[in-house]
Amino acid sequence: MSMSLWERSRIIGLTAALLTVGAAAPALADEVEQVVNGGFDGTADPFWSSAGSPITLEDGQACIDVPGGTTNRWDVAIGQNDIDLVAGENYRFSFDATGGAGHVVRAVTGLAVSPYDTYFEQSPVLSGDRTHYEYTFTASTSTAQGQVAFQVGGSPEDWRFCVDDVSLVGGVPPEVYEPDTGPRVRVNQVGYLTDGPKNATVVTEATAPLPWQLTDRSGKVVKKGRTTPRGIDASSGQNVHTIDFSGYRRDGRSLTLTADGETSRPFDIGTDAYKTLRTDALKLYYTQRSGIEISGDLRPGYARPAGHVDVAPNSGDGKVPCQPGVCDYTLDVRGGWYDAGDHGKYVVNGGISVWGLLSEYEHLRGSRRVDLTIPESGNRVPDLLDEARWELDFLLSMQVPAGHPYAGMVHHKIHDAAWTGLPLLPHLDPQPRELHPVSTAATLNVAATAAQAARLYKPFDAAFAKRALAAARTAYRAAKDNPIRYAPVEDGVGGGAYNDDKITDEFYWAAAELYLTTGERQYRDDVLSSPEHTADVFGPVAFDWAATAAAARIDLALVPNHLPGRSAVRASVVRGAEEYLAVQRGHGYGVAYAPANNVWDWGSSSIIANNLVVIAAAERITGRDRYRDGVLTGIDYLFGRNALNISYVTGYGEVSSQNQHSRWYAAQLDPALPHPPAGTLSGGPNSSIQDPVAQAKLTGCVGQFCYIDDIGSWSTNELTINWNAALAWISAYVAETA
Ligand code: 9MR
């Protein structure tokens, strides 16, 4: 099923409106072919091919023998250089390809010279017969050194690849992308709790209440009612009604809601799914691990050799130097989790992720017993602590040892010298690895999480707890001595910048965790004198890797302590939760997130989940059901009650994200690789659409529509360790509240 005509015209209408505000719509350029001799008329010139695979002409097509046993797609290729590209212009890239069924061709438009940036790519799986492929994209860069290429390496066996009618036409009209949004009745496709609130959203033109009915699996209507018209929902631009069927309180499977002639996707009522999800959300960390072989026994379908352990072609993380001129030592920084779909390891994001896991452990008691099926399971330490330890050991290894400049400070990150392409399993990454400069934010992340670890690991490993606390104290002191070493925005080659130049919140967080663990006066005084202590920290984004004050506030409110004025701290969290509930009540999809000007942030799914953590904390403080109900209403969005009718968690819900940007869960690019494991949260709508796939399809998108489940859309559809920490926390809360 696809989006209704009405819905479609509304989105196109909005897009057109955006284009025409303030300026006349740009005139379309003439369509101009950029590829020379794409039909291979009597010669293959000026196409080139990889050494050892000369081009031969066969029935007017260009063919090459592809040797088996290469590693990467780009190890064998055919292409043409000196292609002109103009930033902002739309191109139609088309070709006919022939090759054995199941082989993959990575068709690329990119830069012909180093650093070989990819501007557009698609990786169709060949059918065995000659097939026509056609795509439209918008160039992000102007260059006279462009390239179109067909990369066909990476197959274990030899095969033959032929291509014909290669064309790249500039000046074509932009493609109108229509997401398949299914039925207009939007529900939590994973399920509602038996005694919890149950809400749904209907997209409709109607302005008066509509009848609705709830139907069970056998087709029997079990409840009826009338919708509540809500007007235009700003986050989607849609006219919506809401349905409240909380009065129905029986477990069941495959129920549906019908209104305005449309029937929702099926959903369950009960708790089972959240019990599974709380574990699945945490299991992702094992397959994100660096420095250890991933066992196929523990994760069927996800086995892979250890990444970055100094085995070629990896340069390895065992002895990593700094970027030139930054330091003159090397560090052993093996281990830790890969941050996301790239092979980088970043302290500030590792820090908030560890905090999320340890906070879940500390505040949600059932998390002490979850079985994560990891190599350490059964070692008498709770699995959640074992998993977080994998990252904590890495974080501690990033600290500058005594005797060097900036001793006690922490390197901001370690990653590849240049960006790598997709797919690329961690152990195959050939790039040199580099330590980047220390930063105050990274140092305070280690101070905060090592202090938190010191109190939580003490019963299981007193020596580690002691070492962690010592490292936390050292880091905190070093940060105070170097309070403004900011990670710069420019440092984004080969890895993310994770730049941040407001770090009063990191200081507050580190002081809070050190105080909660030690009770010492020096840390207490720093908490009380921090400007963050009395600020309203519960804005549209409660907390994330760059904003950590709310994390501190939640722990000060929930972890037993004797801080003077603690009741005001607890009251501030409850007030914050009330603000989120007010946003939720006014929202047509029940979302407790209303960013300024409806500009949705990168990683919005996790922001929405983290805002719910604040509401859950208020429930812990007050015991009042209104907060529990707020959390339960808030999760519906993540699981399908949204404008795109999609669950943002892989494998949960009838239609879910499954092509998150990742170099190793890259099934969309290589059918031999898996999708992300069940329980992986996608970043979700991001109004700024920084990647070329999103720019080609979503330009002019409104809020919730700024998302596409495509592996190339790293700005709307990545997975990360910090985002799954939010999902894990909130699904554990839901499982426990049931
Ligand atoms: O999640 C991060 C987002 O908040 C930032 O705006 C963005 C740009 O710095 O980076 C995001 O993090 C990415 C990181 O830089 C590299 N690994 C993948 C992360 C998720 O996309």
Side-chain angles (χ1 to χ4, degrees):
M1 254 174 297
S2 109
M3 170 187 271
S4 76
L5 259 183
W6 177 80
E7 248 181 316
R8 203 178 296 165
S9 62
R10 171 141 202 106
I11 292 165
I12 296 167
L14 283 167
T15 310
L18 281 175
L19 281 175
T20 46
V21 169
L28 287 178
D30 290 338
E31 296 198 1
V32 181
E33 178 60 72
Q34 308 294 323
V35 171
V36 178
N37 187 33
F40 302 98
D41 289 329
T43 169
D45 288 346
F47 281 83
W48 51 259
S49 65
S50 306
S53 292
I55 305 176
T56 53
L57 296 187
E58 226 176 86
D59 304 330
Q61 309 184 80
C63 301
I64 56 172
D65 283 323
V66 184
T70 62
T71 304
N72 307 295
R73 290 275 177 261
W74 52 87
D75 292 339
V76 186
I78 166 171
Q80 181 173 128
N81 293 355
D82 302 323
I83 303 268
D84 258 323
L85 291 168
V86 177
E89 184 152 310
N90 297 307
Y91 292 85
R92 184 169 53 241
F93 181 22
S94 62
F95 55 92
D96 284 19
T98 317
H103 284 292
V104 178
V105 46
R106 180 172 183 241
V108 179
T109 302
L111 189 60
V113 294
S114 176
Y116 303 103
D117 292 336
T118 301
Y119 304 134
F120 179 78
E121 66 172 286
Q122 288 290 323
S123 292
V125 181
L126 299 179
S127 66
D129 297 323
R130 178 170 170 147
T131 306
H132 180 70
Y133 299 92
E134 190 169 307
Y135 312 98
T136 307
F137 70 97
T138 310
S140 53
T141 311
S142 295
T143 177
Q145 293 184 298
Q147 169 185 91
V148 292
F150 303 93
Q151 302 174 351
V152 286
S155 159
E157 72 270 9
D158 298 350
W159 63 293
R160 192 157 169 79
F161 169 69
C162 301
V163 68
D164 197 6
D165 293 336
V166 180
S167 164
L168 183 74
V169 176
V172 304
E175 191 181 342
V176 179
Y177 169 68
E178 292 164 19
D180 179 355
T181 57
R184 289 182 287 103
V185 181
R186 306 289 160 73
V187 297
N188 176 337
Q189 297 170 27
V190 173
Y192 298 88
L193 294 198
T194 317
D195 63 349
K198 299 175 192 70
N199 297 283
T201 298
V202 187
V203 180
T204 175
E205 277 176 276
T207 48
L210 295 165
W212 59 260
Q213 58 184 46
L214 176 68
T215 308
D216 74 9
R217 189 191 206 168
S218 71
K220 186 169 145 220
V221 175
V222 293
K223 200 167 175 64
K224 290 179 171 186
R226 293 185 86 73
T227 63
T228 305
R230 303 289 299 254
I232 301 286
D233 163 60
S235 72
S236 62
Q238 299 165 319
N239 186 57
V240 299
H241 293 197
T242 50
I243 292 174
D244 182 350
F245 61 109
S246 309
Y248 185 76
R249 288 163 176 263
R250 296 177 70 159
D251 281 11
R253 296 206 162 268
S254 292
L255 293 98
T256 53
L257 263 179
T258 303
D260 201 22
E262 299 257 324
T263 295
S264 74
R265 290 186 173 140
F267 57 89
D268 295 347
I269 297 180
T271 56
D272 295 356
Y274 297 100
K275 289 187 186 138
T276 313
L277 180 58
R278 80 178 299 177
T279 306
D280 281 350
L282 291 171
K283 280 183 161 180
L284 175 68
Y285 291 89
Y286 173 53
T287 55
Q288 286 295 113
R289 284 191 194 182
S290 179
I292 187 174
E293 179 188 351
I294 304 306
S295 148
D297 291 340
L298 300 178
R299 290 295 182 281
Y302 292 88
R304 59 171 172 83
H308 299 97
V309 285
D310 307 345
V311 175
N314 278 172
S315 73
D317 289 352
K319 268 182 141 185
V320 182
C322 281
Q323 289 178 300
V326 168
C327 75
D328 58 8
Y329 49 84
T330 62
L331 290 181
D332 179 354
V333 293
R334 284 172 300 170
W337 302 312
Y338 296 116
D339 186 58
D342 59 326
H343 301 141
K345 302 190 290 192
Y346 311 85
V347 169
V348 292
N349 209 43
I352 197 67
S353 305
V354 165
W355 179 85
L357 264 50
L358 295 185
S359 153
E360 177 188 332
Y361 176 85
E362 193 162 30
H363 305 311
L364 302 171
R365 299 214 148 226
S367 297
R368 302 180 182 194
R369 293 185 309 270
V370 288
D371 175 2
L372 300 183
T373 332
I374 52 179
E376 300 81 6
S377 292
N379 69 353
R380 312 179 75 103
V381 177
D383 280 5
L384 184 45
L385 291 190
D386 279 326
E387 191 56 68
R389 176 77 182 266
W390 192 261
E391 180 74 2
L392 274 161
D393 284 338
F394 158 72
L395 294 177
L396 294 174
S397 75
M398 292 286 280
Q399 192 167 31
V400 180
H404 294 291
Y406 300 114
M409 294 288 282
V410 176
H411 288 278
H412 196 66
K413 53 183 189 160
I414 176 256
H415 59 69
D416 292 340
W419 285 109
T420 53
L422 277 72
L424 183 64
L425 268 73
H427 69 287
L428 298 176
D429 171 15
Q431 279 289 320
R433 309 278 279 179
E434 291 176 334
L435 291 168
H436 290 242
V438 299
S439 74
T440 313
T443 305
L444 290 166
N445 266 264
V446 166
T449 53
Q452 186 188 21
R455 67 175 180 268
L456 296 175
Y457 287 76
K458 201 167 170 196
F460 306 100
D461 187 341
F464 172 67
K466 199 170 160 206
R467 183 160 69 83
L469 185 56
R473 289 181 187 279
T474 304
Y476 189 70
R477 216 175 305 121
K480 285 186 110 176
D481 290 343
N482 299 276
I484 51 165
R485 291 203 69 82
Y486 301 135
V489 65
E490 300 79 31
D491 190 10
V493 177
Y498 281 116
N499 53 295
D500 186 6
D501 53 13
K502 179 190 177 286
I503 51 178
T504 47
D505 50 326
E506 280 83 3
F507 269 108
Y508 177 55
W509 178 39
E513 297 298 343
L514 278 159
Y515 169 71
L516 291 170
T517 298
T518 66
E520 285 172 18
R521 185 187 194 130
Q522 51 166 329
Y523 302 123
R524 184 197 73 183
D525 290 350
D526 285 356
V527 167
L528 295 176
S529 63
S530 165
E532 302 285 352
H533 191 51
T534 46
D536 177 5
V537 296
F538 301 105
V541 179
F543 58 91
D544 66 5
W545 63 266
T548 58
R553 195 75 71 75
I554 288 169
D555 275 357
L556 289 170
L558 295 184
V559 179
N561 68 80
H562 297 107
L563 189 75
R566 179 152 179 265
S567 56
V569 170
R570 285 163 72 86
S572 77
V573 174
V574 176
R575 262 200 319 279
E578 282 297 333
E579 287 172 36
Y580 294 125
L581 288 187
V583 172
Q584 180 176 73
R585 275 194 302 272
H587 198 290
Y589 284 94
V591 183
Y593 173 57
N597 304 316
N598 198 34
V599 174
W600 284 49
D601 277 284
W602 196 322
S604 61
S605 300
S606 73
I607 293 167
I608 288 165
N610 280 338
N611 290 355
L612 298 179
V613 170
V614 178
I615 303 178
E619 188 271 332
R620 288 294 146 117
I621 293 166
T622 63
R624 292 182 65 193
D625 279 350
R626 64 190 271 103
Y627 301 114
R628 181 195 88 127
D629 290 352
V631 175
L632 295 176
T633 301
I635 61 171
D636 295 342
Y637 163 87
L638 295 173
F639 301 120
R641 185 189 174 198
N642 55 51
L644 293 175
N645 202 354
I646 192 171
S647 162
Y648 288 107
V649 179
T650 310
Y652 281 80
E654 186 165 87
V655 175
S656 65
S657 301
Q658 55 166 358
N659 294 314
Q660 286 96 326
H661 180 79
S662 164
R663 283 167 177 71
W664 54 106
Y665 319 119
Q668 189 187 341
L669 300 178
D670 182 348
L673 293 171
H675 285 287
T680 301
L681 181 67
S682 164
N686 168 6
S687 298
S688 304
I689 51 169
Q690 288 91 339
D691 65 81
V693 172
Q695 286 163 357
K697 309 249 169 163
L698 306 175
T699 296
C701 58
V702 176
Q704 290 199 49
F705 283 101
C706 301
Y707 171 78
I708 182 165
D709 184 27
D710 188 296
I711 195 163
S713 185
W714 39 265
S715 70
T716 80
N717 196 35
E718 195 155 349
L719 59 96
T720 71
I721 53 174
N722 57 318
W723 301 342
N724 248 62
L727 177 69
W729 205 111
I730 220 64
S731 52
Y733 176 84
V734 172
E736 276 185 29
T737 196

